[in-house]
Amino acid sequence: MERTILRRRALAACTATVAVGVLALAGLTGSASADPASHLPTPTVAGAEQLSPGLLKAMRRDLGLTASEARDRIGNESRAAAVAAGLRHSLGADFAGARVSGDDAALTVATTDAADTARIRRAGARPVVVEHSLAELDATKAALDRVALRRAPEGIPAWYVDVATNRVVVEAARASAADAFLAAADVPHGVVTVSRSAERPRTFTDLRGGDAYYMNGSGRCSIGFPVKRGSGRSGFVSAGHCGTPGVSTSGYNQQAQGSFQGSTFPGRDYSWVATNTNWTPRALVNGYGNGDVTVTGSTEALEGSSVCRSGSTTGWHCGTVQQRNTSVTYQEGTVSGVTRTNVCAEPGDSGGSFISGSQAQGVTSGGSGNCSQGGTTYFQPVNPALQAYGLTLVTSGTPTDPPTDPTDPPTPGGSWAAGTTYAAGDVVTYGSGSYRCLQAHLAQPGWTPPNVPALWQQL
């Protein structure tokens, strides 16, 4: 199957994407006296009655789940992510990855030390003892990435860390191409599995997530997620290959919209567009007539979790997260740090949103196949894009949104804010108190300092 960048130049006013996300608790550092998983609240997930009928319909079609089963699975996956985040911190260098499986999202956590198995069981997960830590696998993949940044490897469509097999997988059109790639990176074969693949990835180019937009009045992409920068500027994130800084955009209605302020491609595949005051950002994903999806945060879903994509060409399609930390070779060069899924997509879906439940996951980058026969699609995680440009994801708690989520309590004031990345040692105020950050994380709605003693210490 061909893997090349495709740009949709039709002027059909279609709609597309939304959500993205990553819970930066997956990269916890710092210190705490106990496993944080025992203290962390479950990340905010839209209530059963709030989940989009369109999302539930797509999960029924693509994953074979009833509406009730889909709601249960989303809740189970969210809870598993919180437990995995705590274990990643407490296991430290032994941690070798986490994944969920089955409709009940059973959590498996890998470690390189058999002494950790009791702790993993106490947290409610199934332990697996493996040879390589996640840090070792990431380092191996990083060596391959450095070679690819100098020159895209010929005959190597993708490579990624596979937590399930405890290996780095290199997809290759032929064995000689894989051997040359590993040799150039000085990577031992003992950590790598070579998988035969004839795929040729392409991007899907063609202020509600999922709406179409046009670049310089011609090429079409899809909005990923509405964002804000500081107290004044609004806009959205999308794929980097959709445009370069200075390129003007028009909306789904062909009215003047804004321009690209930042764009990275290849290497990564993200961008951000600042819009004029005629466009109001909403924490919504276009539901294609079946009810829009509310975005409540950007908690990273574990490997094996359900994920759905909304795009301006093909609408809603669902599947599962297969591997994070993937590198993929397009005709234009290599893109690293994307997530591999078995969700289908087609030209015009680029930039569109990936969402798990109500949690934004990322923006559509590219892939292979189509939605008639199925395929593989990669998304650029949203949190790195937010951090790169100093942006804040617009969620249901953002003041510019309509009052669609009455369960969000008013903020009592202070410097703490959901959507902000905090490092260990940072000091914030919340209400009348001051708090010191114990573990690096991306603040989520409801994870206020008084409620999460594993993350914040009151001064």
Side-chain angles (χ1 to χ4, degrees), residues 2-8 200-206 215 220-222 238-239 241-242 269 309 311-314 330 341 343-352 354 364-371 375-379:
E2 186 179 21
R3 285 182 172 182
T4 56
I5 288 189
L6 301 179
R7 291 184 176 274
R8 175 73 71 184
R200 297 175 60 191
R202 68 192 188 279
T203 53
F204 296 120
T205 309
D206 188 297
M215 299 79 73
R220 172 167 60 88
C221 274
S222 301
S238 189
H241 69 264
C242 288
D269 195 4
R309 179 195 57 72
S312 61
T313 297
T314 58
Y330 299 126
T341 75
V343 184
C344 70
E346 296 181 8
D349 288 327
S350 273
F354 269 83
T364 302
S365 175
S368 58
N370 55 50
C371 288
T376 297
T377 301
Y378 303 90
F379 68 78

Side-chain angles (χ1 to χ4, degrees), residues 143-280:
L144 295 170
D145 289 346
R146 287 191 292 271
V147 171
L149 286 176
R150 295 194 295 268
R151 182 178 181 180
E154 183 179 354
I156 307 293
W159 56 102
Y160 47 83
V161 172
D162 186 16
V163 171
T165 62
N166 193 230
R167 309 275 285 183
V168 173
V169 176
V170 174
E171 295 187 352
R174 55 193 181 280
S176 59
D179 290 340
F181 189 31
L182 298 183
D186 193 23
V187 166
H189 282 71
V191 189
V192 176
T193 295
V194 176
S195 175
R196 186 70 178 269
S197 174
E199 291 188 351
R200 297 175 60 191
R202 68 192 188 279
T203 53
F204 296 120
T205 309
D206 188 297
L207 284 171
R208 173 183 56 176
D211 286 348
Y213 71 94
Y214 300 88
M215 299 79 73
N216 285 339
S218 55
R220 172 167 60 88
C221 274
S222 301
I223 292 175
F225 295 94
V227 297
K228 295 182 72 67
R229 186 174 186 180
S231 58
R233 306 190 78 181
S234 298
F236 59 85
V237 290
S238 189
H241 69 264
C242 288
T244 56
V247 169
S248 63
T249 67
S250 55
Y252 66 92
N253 55 5
Q254 297 293 326
Q255 298 300 305
Q257 182 186 66
S259 63
F260 283 83
Q261 303 298 301
S263 179
T264 300
F265 180 80
R268 295 293 188 268
D269 195 4
Y270 48 59
S271 63
W272 97 276
V273 173
T275 56
N276 61 46
T277 55
N278 293 328
W279 297 83
T280 301

